[in-house]
Amino acid sequence: MQRICLFPGTFDPVTFGHTDVIDRAIDLFDELIIGIGVNSGKQPMYSVEQRKAWIEEVYKDQPKVKVASYEGLTVNFCKQINAQFILRGIRYVSDFEYEKAIADMNRMMDESIETIFLTCSPRYSTVASTLVRDVIRNGGDASKFVPAPVIATIRKA
């Protein structure tokens, strides 16, 4: 049986914090699906199509990485794509407490899906999409926080 993992998030935009977790998780699974969650309650800065294009560009040479978007419960999407694992990145203890609550709820909904936590590398522990969006909105240099495809898009705008 293939080990399929879903890494869900908004990735608005994808950051080096995200890619750090993805890069270290690639060898743990046969397939790693980056799932862009669509939440009708959130107004993203970038379209789903743009976020998907960035991630596909970053991982164009990595056949284990796929990108998809989804709505609704993450455990339901896991069932659709046959994922047995959910990957979550942890920056701080507060992240763990929040993510553990979600993992527990997911486990109660489907015991066959296991959540895996990876801590991000220390140099990326402060990189959050929310903060990066503030840098971008205010004309700051985001090149220390996001991959080159994101920077190329920002510079064209």
Side-chain angles (χ1 to χ4, degrees), residues 78-100:
C78 285
K79 291 175 194 175
Q80 288 177 3
I81 61 173
N82 298 315
Q84 307 93 338
F85 304 97
I86 296 171
L87 175 65
R88 297 302 296 159
I90 302 290
R91 291 175 297 179
Y92 299 109
V93 172
S94 59
D95 286 350
F96 177 74
E97 291 170 352
Y98 175 74
E99 293 295 343
K100 183 185 181 312

PDB file of all heavy atoms in Angstrom, residues 78-100:
ATOM      1  N   CYS A  78      -9.112  13.578   2.474  1.00  0.00           N
ATOM      2  CA  CYS A  78      -8.176  12.457   2.615  1.00  0.00           C
ATOM      3  C   CYS A  78      -8.780  11.177   2.045  1.00  0.00           C
ATOM      4  O   CYS A  78      -8.096  10.422   1.346  1.00  0.00           O
ATOM      5  CB  CYS A  78      -7.794  12.245   4.078  1.00  0.00           C
ATOM      6  SG  CYS A  78      -6.634  13.451   4.729  1.00  0.00           S
ATOM      7  N   LYS A  79     -10.050  10.933   2.331  1.00  0.00           N
ATOM      8  CA  LYS A  79     -10.723   9.741   1.815  1.00  0.00           C
ATOM      9  C   LYS A  79     -10.773   9.772   0.282  1.00  0.00           C
ATOM     10  O   LYS A  79     -10.556   8.754  -0.373  1.00  0.00           O
ATOM     11  CB  LYS A  79     -12.131   9.631   2.390  1.00  0.00           C
ATOM     12  CG  LYS A  79     -12.155   9.318   3.872  1.00  0.00           C
ATOM     13  CD  LYS A  79     -13.579   9.352   4.394  1.00  0.00           C
ATOM     14  CE  LYS A  79     -13.606   9.383   5.901  1.00  0.00           C
ATOM     15  NZ  LYS A  79     -14.965   9.527   6.442  1.00  0.00           N
ATOM     16  N   GLN A  80     -11.048  10.953  -0.286  1.00  0.00           N
ATOM     17  CA  GLN A  80     -11.136  11.081  -1.748  1.00  0.00           C
ATOM     18  C   GLN A  80      -9.812  10.752  -2.426  1.00  0.00           C
ATOM     19  O   GLN A  80      -9.794  10.186  -3.512  1.00  0.00           O
ATOM     20  CB  GLN A  80     -11.542  12.504  -2.135  1.00  0.00           C
ATOM     21  CG  GLN A  80     -12.963  12.862  -1.843  1.00  0.00           C
ATOM     22  CD  GLN A  80     -13.252  14.324  -2.184  1.00  0.00           C
ATOM     23  OE1 GLN A  80     -12.406  15.058  -2.690  1.00  0.00           O
ATOM     24  NE2 GLN A  80     -14.481  14.749  -1.896  1.00  0.00           N
ATOM     25  N   ILE A  81      -8.703  11.135  -1.791  1.00  0.00           N
ATOM     26  CA  ILE A  81      -7.387  10.943  -2.415  1.00  0.00           C
ATOM     27  C   ILE A  81      -6.633   9.745  -1.840  1.00  0.00           C
ATOM     28  O   ILE A  81      -5.466   9.531  -2.174  1.00  0.00           O
ATOM     29  CB  ILE A  81      -6.524  12.223  -2.298  1.00  0.00           C
ATOM     30  CG1 ILE A  81      -6.289  12.580  -0.830  1.00  0.00           C
ATOM     31  CG2 ILE A  81      -7.168  13.371  -3.093  1.00  0.00           C
ATOM     32  CD1 ILE A  81      -5.305  13.735  -0.611  1.00  0.00           C
ATOM     33  N   ASN A  82      -7.305   8.983  -0.983  1.00  0.00           N
ATOM     34  CA  ASN A  82      -6.716   7.798  -0.348  1.00  0.00           C
ATOM     35  C   ASN A  82      -5.505   8.101   0.519  1.00  0.00           C
ATOM     36  O   ASN A  82      -4.578   7.297   0.610  1.00  0.00           O
ATOM     37  CB  ASN A  82      -6.364   6.730  -1.391  1.00  0.00           C
ATOM     38  CG  ASN A  82      -7.589   6.233  -2.120  1.00  0.00           C
ATOM     39  OD1 ASN A  82      -8.606   5.948  -1.511  1.00  0.00           O
ATOM     40  ND2 ASN A  82      -7.504   6.182  -3.440  1.00  0.00           N
ATOM     41  N   ALA A  83      -5.517   9.261   1.154  1.00  0.00           N
ATOM     42  CA  ALA A  83      -4.408   9.639   2.046  1.00  0.00           C
ATOM     43  C   ALA A  83      -4.630   9.023   3.421  1.00  0.00           C
ATOM     44  O   ALA A  83      -5.720   9.132   3.986  1.00  0.00           O
ATOM     45  CB  ALA A  83      -4.301  11.156   2.152  1.00  0.00           C
ATOM     46  N   GLN A  84      -3.592   8.389   3.951  1.00  0.00           N
ATOM     47  CA  GLN A  84      -3.651   7.807   5.285  1.00  0.00           C
ATOM     48  C   GLN A  84      -3.039   8.731   6.325  1.00  0.00           C
ATOM     49  O   GLN A  84      -3.131   8.475   7.516  1.00  0.00           O
ATOM     50  CB  GLN A  84      -2.877   6.478   5.350  1.00  0.00           C
ATOM     51  CG  GLN A  84      -3.249   5.467   4.312  1.00  0.00           C
ATOM     52  CD  GLN A  84      -2.360   5.546   3.076  1.00  0.00           C
ATOM     53  OE1 GLN A  84      -1.738   6.550   2.778  1.00  0.00           O
ATOM     54  NE2 GLN A  84      -2.327   4.461   2.337  1.00  0.00           N
ATOM     55  N   PHE A  85      -2.386   9.806   5.862  1.00  0.00           N
ATOM     56  CA  PHE A  85      -1.672  10.709   6.756  1.00  0.00           C
ATOM     57  C   PHE A  85      -2.008  12.166   6.437  1.00  0.00           C
ATOM     58  O   PHE A  85      -2.219  12.524   5.282  1.00  0.00           O
ATOM     59  CB  PHE A  85      -0.155  10.532   6.617  1.00  0.00           C
ATOM     60  CG  PHE A  85       0.304   9.127   6.849  1.00  0.00           C
ATOM     61  CD1 PHE A  85       0.515   8.277   5.782  1.00  0.00           C
ATOM     62  CD2 PHE A  85       0.514   8.655   8.129  1.00  0.00           C
ATOM     63  CE1 PHE A  85       0.940   6.977   5.981  1.00  0.00           C
ATOM     64  CE2 PHE A  85       0.937   7.360   8.347  1.00  0.00           C
ATOM     65  CZ  PHE A  85       1.151   6.514   7.274  1.00  0.00           C
ATOM     66  N   ILE A  86      -2.014  12.977   7.495  1.00  0.00           N
ATOM     67  CA  ILE A  86      -2.116  14.427   7.371  1.00  0.00           C
ATOM     68  C   ILE A  86      -0.830  14.985   7.976  1.00  0.00           C
ATOM     69  O   ILE A  86      -0.468  14.631   9.097  1.00  0.00           O
ATOM     70  CB  ILE A  86      -3.336  14.990   8.127  1.00  0.00           C
ATOM     71  CG1 ILE A  86      -4.643  14.466   7.518  1.00  0.00           C
ATOM     72  CG2 ILE A  86      -3.315  16.523   8.128  1.00  0.00           C
ATOM     73  CD1 ILE A  86      -5.884  14.806   8.331  1.00  0.00           C
ATOM     74  N   LEU A  87      -0.166  15.844   7.245  1.00  0.00           N
ATOM     75  CA  LEU A  87       1.066  16.474   7.708  1.00  0.00           C
ATOM     76  C   LEU A  87       0.757  17.878   8.193  1.00  0.00           C
ATOM     77  O   LEU A  87       0.043  18.633   7.523  1.00  0.00           O
ATOM     78  CB  LEU A  87       2.071  16.542   6.558  1.00  0.00           C
ATOM     79  CG  LEU A  87       3.378  17.284   6.819  1.00  0.00           C
ATOM     80  CD1 LEU A  87       4.218  16.570   7.877  1.00  0.00           C
ATOM     81  CD2 LEU A  87       4.161  17.418   5.514  1.00  0.00           C
ATOM     82  N   ARG A  88       1.287  18.234   9.356  1.00  0.00           N
ATOM     83  CA  ARG A  88       1.132  19.587   9.878  1.00  0.00           C
ATOM     84  C   ARG A  88       2.483  20.096  10.360  1.00  0.00           C
ATOM     85  O   ARG A  88       3.244  19.359  11.003  1.00  0.00           O
ATOM     86  CB  ARG A  88       0.126  19.622  11.032  1.00  0.00           C
ATOM     87  CG  ARG A  88      -1.279  19.214  10.649  1.00  0.00           C
ATOM     88  CD  ARG A  88      -1.887  20.052   9.535  1.00  0.00           C
ATOM     89  NE  ARG A  88      -2.048  21.426   9.972  1.00  0.00           N
ATOM     90  CZ  ARG A  88      -2.172  22.459   9.155  1.00  0.00           C
ATOM     91  NH1 ARG A  88      -2.112  22.302   7.855  1.00  0.00           N
ATOM     92  NH2 ARG A  88      -2.336  23.654   9.646  1.00  0.00           N
ATOM     93  N   GLY A  89       2.770  21.346  10.042  1.00  0.00           N
ATOM     94  CA  GLY A  89       3.996  21.985  10.489  1.00  0.00           C
ATOM     95  C   GLY A  89       3.763  22.706  11.805  1.00  0.00           C
ATOM     96  O   GLY A  89       2.704  23.307  12.006  1.00  0.00           O
ATOM     97  N   ILE A  90       4.737  22.626  12.676  1.00  0.00           N
ATOM     98  CA  ILE A  90       4.639  23.247  14.000  1.00  0.00           C
ATOM     99  C   ILE A  90       5.785  24.241  14.158  1.00  0.00           C
ATOM    100  O   ILE A  90       6.949  23.892  13.966  1.00  0.00           O
ATOM    101  CB  ILE A  90       4.743  22.183  15.123  1.00  0.00           C
ATOM    102  CG1 ILE A  90       3.657  21.115  14.977  1.00  0.00           C
ATOM    103  CG2 ILE A  90       4.735  22.826  16.499  1.00  0.00           C
ATOM    104  CD1 ILE A  90       2.268  21.588  15.265  1.00  0.00           C
ATOM    105  N   ARG A  91       5.441  25.479  14.515  1.00  0.00           N
ATOM    106  CA  ARG A  91       6.464  26.498  14.778  1.00  0.00           C
ATOM    107  C   ARG A  91       6.682  26.678  16.275  1.00  0.00           C
ATOM    108  O   ARG A  91       7.803  26.789  16.735  1.00  0.00           O
ATOM    109  CB  ARG A  91       6.068  27.830  14.151  1.00  0.00           C
ATOM    110  CG  ARG A  91       6.102  27.805  12.633  1.00  0.00           C
ATOM    111  CD  ARG A  91       5.594  29.088  12.055  1.00  0.00           C
ATOM    112  NE  ARG A  91       4.185  29.243  12.452  1.00  0.00           N
ATOM    113  CZ  ARG A  91       3.434  30.262  12.144  1.00  0.00           C
ATOM    114  NH1 ARG A  91       3.916  31.260  11.468  1.00  0.00           N
ATOM    115  NH2 ARG A  91       2.170  30.314  12.521  1.00  0.00           N
ATOM    116  N   TYR A  92       5.596  26.765  17.011  1.00  0.00           N
ATOM    117  CA  TYR A  92       5.658  27.065  18.451  1.00  0.00           C
ATOM    118  C   TYR A  92       4.771  26.092  19.220  1.00  0.00           C
ATOM    119  O   TYR A  92       3.939  25.396  18.645  1.00  0.00           O
ATOM    120  CB  TYR A  92       5.146  28.494  18.717  1.00  0.00           C
ATOM    121  CG  TYR A  92       5.937  29.557  18.036  1.00  0.00           C
ATOM    122  CD1 TYR A  92       5.401  30.264  16.958  1.00  0.00           C
ATOM    123  CD2 TYR A  92       7.219  29.876  18.454  1.00  0.00           C
ATOM    124  CE1 TYR A  92       6.132  31.255  16.320  1.00  0.00           C
ATOM    125  CE2 TYR A  92       7.954  30.862  17.826  1.00  0.00           C
ATOM    126  CZ  TYR A  92       7.406  31.553  16.766  1.00  0.00           C
ATOM    127  OH  TYR A  92       8.128  32.526  16.138  1.00  0.00           O
ATOM    128  N   VAL A  93       4.902  26.092  20.538  1.00  0.00           N
ATOM    129  CA  VAL A  93       4.066  25.265  21.401  1.00  0.00           C
ATOM    130  C   VAL A  93       2.595  25.590  21.172  1.00  0.00           C
ATOM    131  O   VAL A  93       1.744  24.696  21.122  1.00  0.00           O
ATOM    132  CB  VAL A  93       4.453  25.449  22.887  1.00  0.00           C
ATOM    133  CG1 VAL A  93       3.467  24.749  23.800  1.00  0.00           C
ATOM    134  CG2 VAL A  93       5.860  24.932  23.125  1.00  0.00           C
ATOM    135  N   SER A  94       2.273  26.861  21.005  1.00  0.00           N
ATOM    136  CA  SER A  94       0.878  27.243  20.776  1.00  0.00           C
ATOM    137  C   SER A  94       0.333  26.614  19.492  1.00  0.00           C
ATOM    138  O   SER A  94      -0.838  26.240  19.433  1.00  0.00           O
ATOM    139  CB  SER A  94       0.724  28.763  20.737  1.00  0.00           C
ATOM    140  OG  SER A  94       1.537  29.306  19.713  1.00  0.00           O
ATOM    141  N   ASP A  95       1.179  26.476  18.467  1.00  0.00           N
ATOM    142  CA  ASP A  95       0.764  25.788  17.244  1.00  0.00           C
ATOM    143  C   ASP A  95       0.396  24.345  17.562  1.00  0.00           C
ATOM    144  O   ASP A  95      -0.602  23.821  17.066  1.00  0.00           O
ATOM    145  CB  ASP A  95       1.882  25.773  16.197  1.00  0.00           C
ATOM    146  CG  ASP A  95       2.116  27.096  15.525  1.00  0.00           C
ATOM    147  OD1 ASP A  95       1.310  28.025  15.702  1.00  0.00           O
ATOM    148  OD2 ASP A  95       3.142  27.211  14.812  1.00  0.00           O
ATOM    149  N   PHE A  96       1.229  23.704  18.388  1.00  0.00           N
ATOM    150  CA  PHE A  96       0.981  22.302  18.713  1.00  0.00           C
ATOM    151  C   PHE A  96      -0.364  22.130  19.410  1.00  0.00           C
ATOM    152  O   PHE A  96      -1.135  21.225  19.076  1.00  0.00           O
ATOM    153  CB  PHE A  96       2.089  21.713  19.581  1.00  0.00           C
ATOM    154  CG  PHE A  96       1.797  20.294  19.984  1.00  0.00           C
ATOM    155  CD1 PHE A  96       1.912  19.271  19.060  1.00  0.00           C
ATOM    156  CD2 PHE A  96       1.352  20.005  21.255  1.00  0.00           C
ATOM    157  CE1 PHE A  96       1.597  17.958  19.419  1.00  0.00           C
ATOM    158  CE2 PHE A  96       1.036  18.704  21.620  1.00  0.00           C
ATOM    159  CZ  PHE A  96       1.163  17.677  20.700  1.00  0.00           C
ATOM    160  N   GLU A  97      -0.659  22.982  20.351  1.00  0.00           N
ATOM    161  CA  GLU A  97      -1.920  22.860  21.084  1.00  0.00           C
ATOM    162  C   GLU A  97      -3.117  22.975  20.141  1.00  0.00           C
ATOM    163  O   GLU A  97      -4.066  22.194  20.219  1.00  0.00           O
ATOM    164  CB  GLU A  97      -1.990  23.907  22.199  1.00  0.00           C
ATOM    165  CG  GLU A  97      -0.997  23.638  23.309  1.00  0.00           C
ATOM    166  CD  GLU A  97      -0.872  24.771  24.316  1.00  0.00           C
ATOM    167  OE1 GLU A  97      -1.447  25.858  24.078  1.00  0.00           O
ATOM    168  OE2 GLU A  97      -0.201  24.555  25.325  1.00  0.00           O
ATOM    169  N   TYR A  98      -3.070  23.940  19.242  1.00  0.00           N
ATOM    170  CA  TYR A  98      -4.140  24.138  18.265  1.00  0.00           C
ATOM    171  C   TYR A  98      -4.219  22.948  17.305  1.00  0.00           C
ATOM    172  O   TYR A  98      -5.292  22.395  17.052  1.00  0.00           O
ATOM    173  CB  TYR A  98      -3.887  25.438  17.503  1.00  0.00           C
ATOM    174  CG  TYR A  98      -4.853  25.698  16.389  1.00  0.00           C
ATOM    175  CD1 TYR A  98      -6.162  26.093  16.647  1.00  0.00           C
ATOM    176  CD2 TYR A  98      -4.446  25.574  15.057  1.00  0.00           C
ATOM    177  CE1 TYR A  98      -7.055  26.333  15.610  1.00  0.00           C
ATOM    178  CE2 TYR A  98      -5.334  25.819  14.021  1.00  0.00           C
ATOM    179  CZ  TYR A  98      -6.629  26.194  14.295  1.00  0.00           C
ATOM    180  OH  TYR A  98      -7.507  26.427  13.267  1.00  0.00           O
ATOM    181  N   GLU A  99      -3.068  22.551  16.773  1.00  0.00           N
ATOM    182  CA  GLU A  99      -3.027  21.454  15.794  1.00  0.00           C
ATOM    183  C   GLU A  99      -3.420  20.116  16.426  1.00  0.00           C
ATOM    184  O   GLU A  99      -4.037  19.283  15.775  1.00  0.00           O
ATOM    185  CB  GLU A  99      -1.645  21.353  15.154  1.00  0.00           C
ATOM    186  CG  GLU A  99      -1.287  22.526  14.274  1.00  0.00           C
ATOM    187  CD  GLU A  99      -2.153  22.673  13.028  1.00  0.00           C
ATOM    188  OE1 GLU A  99      -2.842  21.701  12.635  1.00  0.00           O
ATOM    189  OE2 GLU A  99      -2.141  23.765  12.442  1.00  0.00           O
ATOM    190  N   LYS A 100      -3.073  19.905  17.683  1.00  0.00           N
ATOM    191  CA  LYS A 100      -3.452  18.664  18.358  1.00  0.00           C
ATOM    192  C   LYS A 100      -4.969  18.575  18.493  1.00  0.00           C
ATOM    193  O   LYS A 100      -5.552  17.504  18.297  1.00  0.00           O
ATOM    194  CB  LYS A 100      -2.799  18.531  19.728  1.00  0.00           C
ATOM    195  CG  LYS A 100      -3.144  17.194  20.401  1.00  0.00           C
ATOM    196  CD  LYS A 100      -2.611  17.086  21.792  1.00  0.00           C
ATOM    197  CE  LYS A 100      -2.938  15.747  22.428  1.00  0.00           C
ATOM    198  NZ  LYS A 100      -4.309  15.283  22.323  1.00  0.00           N
TER     199      LYS A 100
END
